[in-house]
Amino acid sequence: MAFRNRKNITIRMPLERLAFVDPLTGGANQAAFGLRYRELAGSMKPGGYTIAVMDVRHFKMINERFGIHEGNQVLAYLYHVMERHMRAEDGEFVARSESDCFFLCLKGGGHQEIRDRMDDMVQDINSFCNPDLPGYTFSFRQGACVVEEPGLEIAILQDRARLASQSRNPDLEPGCVFYDDSLTVELKMEEELNGLFQGSIENHDFQVYLQPKVGLESRALEGAEALVRWIHPKRGVIYPSDFIPLFERNGKICKLDIYVFTEVCRIISRWEKEGKEIIPVSVNLSRQHFTDEDFLDRFADIAGQYHIPAGMIEFELTESIFFDSHQIQRVRDAIQRMHELGFACSLDDFGSGFSSLGLLKEFDVDSIKMDRSFFLNMSGPKAREVIACLVDLAKRLKVKTVAEGIEDWDTVEYLKSIGCNMVQGYVFSKPLPADAFERLHISWTGSIECNINP
Ligand code: C2E
Ligand code: CA
Ligand code: CA
């Protein structure tokens, strides 16, 4: 597999001293990086340089698909493109530290300037032509630490850059993340939450709250979304925004989603036993599940144990999953399998990011949840038209529409007038513990109409 980009970069001669040469790329290794940093640090001004890291994502896929030898050629290619971007006159340099991880020492400390340079590198890297990888783009976890104390050990600066690179989900927040002191505080908290996770699963400190979805046509409660709350006996209530992104990064989210799903099955099964009306409940499904081809079997087994009728559980998949080029086919297959297993599927957070209408054509979802951000500025006529067109399009495709995060009656009225199917938002209710939700359900029977048409 020959790798050349448009600038026709090939491998340059190795450094003189063997101890400082990475045999794989023929360029600098970690020892050389440290040595060159120490040489430069003597004359460095605080904030004058930045240590950055670029960690190749999904590199395993290259090795698995093409073999180690070809994988090594890819790494050499990446190194040499990065090296071309180093300004030797400013003392800049790059090294491969281990496996698929590269460190850079760049002049300057301006965040935007460094981000732009790293973006240029990624763009240059992805300008390659290779018939074995048509349309493939390399992506990286990128982190950086501006050198405020040139006397610090290089290992500390590298650790900080790496910490920064790992602190965000690159699918949600692409680009370089910069280290600062608050990150250390954040990471300490994350460490603590990680430590508490298993005990909390065992003690049932995670609780499932239900938020009503109200049908605008039927004027009745038509469904609910299950949202997890972590109520720790010592820490108090911990909100999803503090732990979901963390557990998505380290994979614990899969266990948590299974837990929430099981709790939802338990609730539905109880409603059935108590002769209560059963309404469909949706659960959030993290993108992490899709790394395991057979993940749905586990969910189907649990639903089977609780005898959940078909159509009573829906999976909400967040919009960004549909844009992951590595997973598109898996997502398509999974949606088909969900339907075979009697689950519905909804496209969550529609409009929060890329918002492609093409998604509705490509993926066989049963409903879309229009994100709260759609409704934050409804004053202009264009905003209203966009929502009306979207609802209309979805209707033609027989996809239901749910408007999420609605807080006022004017918007409810507008949504009703354009034929939106359901509303979920504080205007009706916040997410509630199961027993409070059941009380609300009973109290709403017959009276919700006057709420919708005040
Ligand atoms: P989401 O799936 O988009 O859930 C809707 C979020 O909007 C919920 O926040 C809900 O409380 C909030 N919300 C609902 N109505 C309103 C409103 O009228 N105004 C405002 N300002 N907010 C409203 P929550 O419960 O904090 O959950 C945040 C996110 O955490 C969820 O966003 C979802 O992505 C994730 N999440 C929650 N539970 C789970 C879970 O069990 N598994 C997974 N994978 N993710 C979960
Ligand atoms: Ca959701
Ligand atoms: Ca949502």
Side-chain angles (χ1 to χ4, degrees), residues 278-332:
I278 303 182
I279 53 165
V281 180
S282 62
V283 292
N284 291 283
L285 195 63
S286 162
R287 61 189 307 123
Q288 292 298 335
H289 294 280
F290 290 85
T291 53
D292 170 10
E293 237 172 287
D294 303 319
F295 77 93
L296 281 168
D297 294 349
R298 179 97 192 270
F299 287 96
D301 282 349
I302 299 168
Q305 281 164 30
Y306 287 91
H307 309 290
I308 303 299
M312 282 303 142
I313 293 188
E314 178 179 69
F315 289 115
E316 294 194 6
L317 305 184
T318 184
E319 184 188 68
S320 62
I321 298 183
F322 296 86
F323 291 97
D324 187 337
S325 57
H326 301 282
Q327 293 188 335
I328 279 186
Q329 195 48 44
R330 263 197 193 176
V331 174
R332 256 194 220 112

Side-chain angles (χ1 to χ4, degrees), residues 207-209 211-212 225-229 239-245 248 253-254 256-261 282-287 289 316 318 348-349 369 371-372 376 403-408 424-431:
Q207 289 186 18
V208 171
Y209 277 42
Q211 187 176 30
E225 176 177 8
L227 292 156
V228 68
R229 296 288 176 267
Y239 279 89
S241 54
D242 289 329
F243 61 86
I244 298 277
E248 290 219 313
I253 192 72
C254 293
L256 185 60
D257 281 353
I258 290 274
Y259 172 98
V260 169
F261 182 87
S282 62
V283 292
N284 291 283
L285 195 63
S286 162
R287 61 189 307 123
H289 294 280
E316 294 194 6
T318 184
D348 197 4
D349 304 329
K369 296 190 81 177
D371 192 65
R372 182 170 125 79
L376 288 179
E404 194 171 32
I406 306 301
E407 297 182 351
D408 65 280
Q424 175 184 346
Y426 295 169
V427 70
F428 291 115
S429 167
K430 292 195 169 190

